[in-house]
Amino acid sequence: MHAARQVLRSSVLAVTRPGAPRAPPRNSAQVPRVRSRTVAMAAPGDEQTAALEAHLKGMADSGEPTLFDKIVSGDIPADVIHEDALCMAFRDIAPQAKTHFLVIPKIRAGLTQLSKANEDHKQLLGHLLYTAQAVAKQEKLDKGFRVVVNDGVEGCQSVYHLHLHVVGGQQLSWPPGC
């Protein structure tokens, strides 16, 4: 994590550092130089870099529609395996196990991270966990499964819309991600 953070930090600083010396135009007839900006993008499956990018872009508090809001609205397609009035479950596009699906609240209601939950969210949080186990049964994860909630940049959260990862269908290792 620290290596990815350092690489991204130095890349971002090199690109966005104010006051960096620029070469002046050689003559007045020369077209002014257009400043280009290199944007670091996480490779598929690189959750640490994706989480850091989301953090640096201020996605946690942006209020902008998230990828998951767009799935709920139908603007982005998903392989939905459960939907009710409060939540939706769909298959992860980059599965980390034989079975990997997400459970999300249909309305964020300020619940961008688990650490931002308050008393008003208790019923919804319980419903999300209940739905996770119900869909796990539907998916025949009878031998076991794991529920993961990534929270914040160091928890590898890259989408700031609370979501539960449910993984299973194979023997999982311990400790996860340490």
Side-chain angles (χ1 to χ4, degrees):
M1 169 73 168
H2 297 295
R5 182 184 297 153
Q6 191 60 39
V7 167
L8 189 57
R9 264 193 201 146
S10 60
S11 299
V12 171
L13 289 175
V15 169
T16 61
R17 187 177 45 162
R22 283 184 254 155
R26 287 187 210 129
N27 60 45
S28 58
Q30 186 178 19
V31 177
R33 195 180 215 186
V34 176
R35 234 192 327 181
S36 65
R37 182 177 168 156
T38 304
V39 177
M41 296 211 39
D46 184 354
E47 290 305 310
Q48 289 179 332
T49 302
L52 184 57
E53 286 175 359
H55 174 73
L56 291 173
K57 291 177 185 174
M59 297 302 293
D61 300 311
S62 75
E64 304 246 342
T66 67
L67 172 71
F68 298 154
D69 290 320
K70 293 173 184 176
I71 289 172
V72 170
S73 70
D75 293 337
I76 294 177
D79 185 1
V80 177
I81 53 178
H82 172 86
E83 184 170 3
D84 62 36
L86 299 176
C87 70
M88 178 183 278
F90 50 89
R91 297 193 193 287
D92 195 295
I93 61 168
Q96 300 300 304
K98 285 183 182 175
T99 301
H100 184 172
F101 61 89
L102 304 176
V103 180
I104 66 167
K106 289 173 104 176
I107 299 173
R108 271 185 293 166
L111 201 50
T112 57
Q113 298 174 242
L114 183 58
S115 61
K116 302 231 176 172
N118 61 45
E119 287 281 324
D120 297 336
H121 295 122
K122 285 169 59 173
Q123 186 174 3
L124 177 59
L125 291 168
H127 183 74
L128 294 172
L129 279 173
Y130 179 81
T131 300
Q133 67 80 34
V135 176
K137 284 180 183 173
Q138 171 188 311
E139 294 292 306
K140 309 223 182 307
L141 298 180
D142 305 325
K143 292 183 180 180
F145 57 90
R146 181 174 293 153
V147 178
V148 177
V149 177
N150 298 332
D151 189 280
V153 65
E154 289 191 1
C156 283
Q157 184 175 5
S158 57
V159 178
Y160 283 87
H161 183 137
L162 181 74
H163 54 287
L164 283 62
H165 291 263
V166 181
V167 293
Q170 65 188 56
Q171 180 61 57
L172 302 174
S173 62
W174 191 260
C178 292

